[in-house]
Amino acid sequence: MRVAQYVTKQLAEWGVKRVYGVAGDGIFAWLDALGKQSEIQYISCRHESAAAMMASAEAKLTGKPAVCAATMGPGFVNLLNGLADAHTDRVPVIAIAGQVETHKLGGGYKQFVAQEDMIRPISAYQTTVSHPDAVGEALHRAFVTAAQQKGVAHLAICKDVFAQKTKAVVLPQLPRIPRVLGDRVEIESAAEQIMRAKAPLILLGTGARPAAALCLRFVEQLGAGILLSLGAKGAIDESHRLVLGGLGEGGSEASLQALEKADLLVILGASWFPKEFIPKQLPIIQVDHAAASMHAHSQLLPVTADLLDVLPMWSHRLKTRPPGDAWEKSVESWHARFWAENAKRSQAQSPDEAVRPESLMHTLGEVVADDAIVALDTGEHTIWFNRAFRASRQQPLFSGKWRTMGFGLPAAIAAKLAFPGRQVVCITGDGGLQMNLAELMTAAEQQLAITVVVVNNRTLGLEELKMQQEGFRPFGVQLHNPDFALWAKACGVDSQVVRTGAALEPVLRQALTGERLTLLDIQCTAPTLSERKKQIPFQAQA
């Protein structure tokens, strides 16, 4: 069979359901093969960066390798922003790009660029396929590397190679990726420290989601306070009596108060570590399956292992630990303060004024489905979501370490395609939406029932706040926005404008129960975010 057919069949055999891409002459033969089969859905995007973001979002949700595609030259280069998101958040994505014909490699031909050199800093594997018989091994290695290292693998396939016949054989399965086996001495040493702790806190990260039930059992046995990173929101219901909110600028006052009194912090599945929010002498235990995620910290005891192996051992040890009733009562009182923070925010919202972003996030938390996927763009609204949205079982989907604007809408599209039975909400700023506004047509073309909530405050709010905090006069951050409702209408998408706090909840409820692609233009106040760092009551890490 020809290389284009082989790639398609092999991807399908390994369970790939979708390819996100933009057409270009470097991949014409492959597009032709994709169009003649039904096992893999081709999602025609408006921009390659969005296609890569969709693949990254799908990989974040499923944990399985996702695939994006582009032509050579500018098509490939446009992929890089979305691929950097997958790289920094450590999720498996396969990028397959066209390349110039083999006889043009290295020459001064149009759209030629040395793709391997450009993508090397943000990929775990990269190669150029210049012979049809090389494609099988290259594709196999790309998938295994991406899955094992949780990163980006890249194949550039020359345009003429796609149309040539290959001897490569379609393989029925990929090798199993084994779990990391922990060191018993490390695990026991950490257990001893946990047993001695009188005032422990637990920070859960995205990596703790698969082990959420075990984490909760461990925390309840320990009587510890729970801090949730943005990626862990919804892993444990925030109404639980031991939950104290988040950490960092998106965190709560209650978490800072608890950190001041804590004598141990246990980090489970979180590679994000804001040192400036951690007391200087606080001992830390970190559990992660990836040694590269361990923090360089003098007070830290690393446990390189899988949570599914470690937590049952620790829970067994805790059966002999006397209860720490005094600390647990303190944690419960901080939880009450954490829960009350939102009541103050709701009272600050006047029914006749524009919507406050904190009120929007609080209200959204009350009306979305319990198992909704909430795709977040990057901006002030992301921090307000972390502070004011009270999650039960919802799953946030966001650009964690890359923090690229424009992520929200492509992520929501991928989420709805991967989980069509779940409610999907996109929360995006007016600046972030305009970076990938054309993808609204992709969502319309796919007939996806997504609610797109636009925080319209006519500024790049987070940048405006940061400029002010650093002593600058905000400049270059004000936005002259289009009429988002009219744009939606031009795309055949339902839309509504919310101008006051009084109209917010009924419009949200209607949109979320409508089962249609809907854009809500929420007219918001100017940025309202306070600087959480100024409320730190202890000497923090440098």
Side-chain angles (χ1 to χ4, degrees), residues 108-369:
Y109 297 93
K110 68 182 179 85
Q111 296 194 331
F112 171 74
V113 65
Q115 295 184 22
E116 292 177 51
D117 292 340
M118 291 194 73
I119 201 170
R120 188 168 284 111
I122 58 168
S123 62
Y125 175 76
Q126 61 289 130
T127 194
T128 298
V129 179
S130 57
H131 192 283
D133 292 342
V135 69
E137 185 173 343
L139 192 58
H140 184 267
R141 188 170 178 189
F143 265 75
V144 173
T145 304
Q148 185 169 32
Q149 298 189 28
K150 296 187 182 299
V152 174
H154 161 253
L155 266 69
I157 303 179
C158 291
K159 179 180 178 180
D160 53 329
V161 171
F162 267 121
Q164 294 171 11
K165 290 186 176 181
T166 179
K167 296 177 183 176
V169 177
V170 174
L171 302 176
Q173 60 189 19
L174 288 162
R176 181 182 65 87
I177 306 299
R179 287 221 307 257
V180 175
L181 295 178
D183 179 80
R184 188 65 181 248
V185 174
E186 273 186 358
I187 296 171
E188 288 296 334
S189 177
E192 290 295 333
Q193 194 170 348
I194 290 168
M195 292 287 283
R196 292 193 301 268
K198 303 295 183 185
L201 293 175
I202 311 296
L203 171 62
L204 300 184
T206 306
R209 295 191 79 93
L214 287 174
C215 289
L216 183 57
R217 179 188 171 198
F218 167 67
V219 169
E220 288 177 337
Q221 283 182 288
L222 190 56
I226 305 170
L227 309 179
L228 299 169
S229 75
L230 177 57
K233 283 181 80 75
I236 292 176
D237 193 321
E238 290 187 77
S239 66
H240 191 283
R241 61 188 177 83
L242 298 177
V243 172
L244 303 179
L247 183 62
E249 282 298 337
S252 66
E253 293 180 48
S255 68
L256 295 177
Q257 293 162 359
L259 281 163
E260 183 183 22
K261 305 296 183 183
D263 64 1
L264 177 66
L265 176 64
V266 182
I267 303 176
L268 303 178
S271 60
W272 174 74
F273 185 72
K275 290 184 178 180
E276 65 273 23
F277 284 86
I278 304 294
K280 191 170 185 178
Q281 300 303 323
L282 182 63
I284 300 170
I285 295 170
Q286 183 181 1
V287 184
D288 203 291
H289 71 275
S293 295
M294 297 296 178
H295 305 293
H297 187 280
S298 60
Q299 301 287 327
L300 185 140
L301 171 61
V303 179
T304 307
D306 195 297
L307 288 176
L308 296 172
D309 296 325
V310 173
L311 291 174
M313 296 173 66
W314 284 356
S315 290
H316 180 73
R317 286 289 304 275
L318 286 173
K319 289 178 181 178
T320 62
R321 180 181 182 271
D325 294 338
W327 175 249
E328 198 164 334
K329 286 180 182 176
S330 296
V331 170
E332 288 174 350
S333 68
W334 285 317
H335 168 76
R337 293 179 206 174
F338 159 66
W339 202 254
E341 284 182 31
N342 268 4
K344 296 177 185 175
R345 294 186 186 114
S346 346
Q347 291 163 5
Q349 173 70 65
S350 165
D352 299 323
E353 72 169 337
V355 177
R356 290 174 174 263
E358 59 267 42
S359 179
L360 169 60
M361 301 308 164
H362 171 62
T363 305
L364 195 59
E366 294 185 325
V367 299
V368 296

Side-chain angles (χ1 to χ4, degrees), residues 230 233 247-252 345 357-358 361 376-390 403 427 461-463 465-466 469 529-532:
L230 177 57
K233 283 181 80 75
L247 183 62
E249 282 298 337
S252 66
R345 294 186 186 114
E358 59 267 42
M361 301 308 164
L376 294 161
D377 217 299
T378 300
E380 184 207 11
H381 62 276
T382 316
I383 299 176
W384 270 126
F385 175 86
N386 206 3
R387 288 190 189 180
F389 185 98
R390 295 291 181 259
R403 298 187 181 185
I427 306 176
L462 192 56
E463 306 312 311
L465 285 165
K466 286 181 177 179
Q469 289 167 5
L529 199 66
S530 56
E531 192 174 0
R532 186 66 84 201

Side-chain angles (χ1 to χ4, degrees), residues 470-492:
E470 293 182 28
F472 299 111
R473 180 175 64 87
F475 178 78
V477 295
Q478 297 302 310
L479 298 175
H480 183 71
N481 290 335
D483 186 323
F484 292 115
L486 276 179
W487 176 272
K489 183 179 179 182
C491 295

Side-chain angles (χ1 to χ4, degrees), residues 406-437:
F407 183 80
L409 182 54
I413 291 170
K416 193 64 179 179
L417 288 166
F419 295 94
R422 291 174 67 177
Q423 186 182 85
V424 175
V425 179
C426 168
I427 306 176
T428 178
D430 40 8
L433 178 63
Q434 289 183 77
M435 287 193 173
N436 272 319
L437 191 54

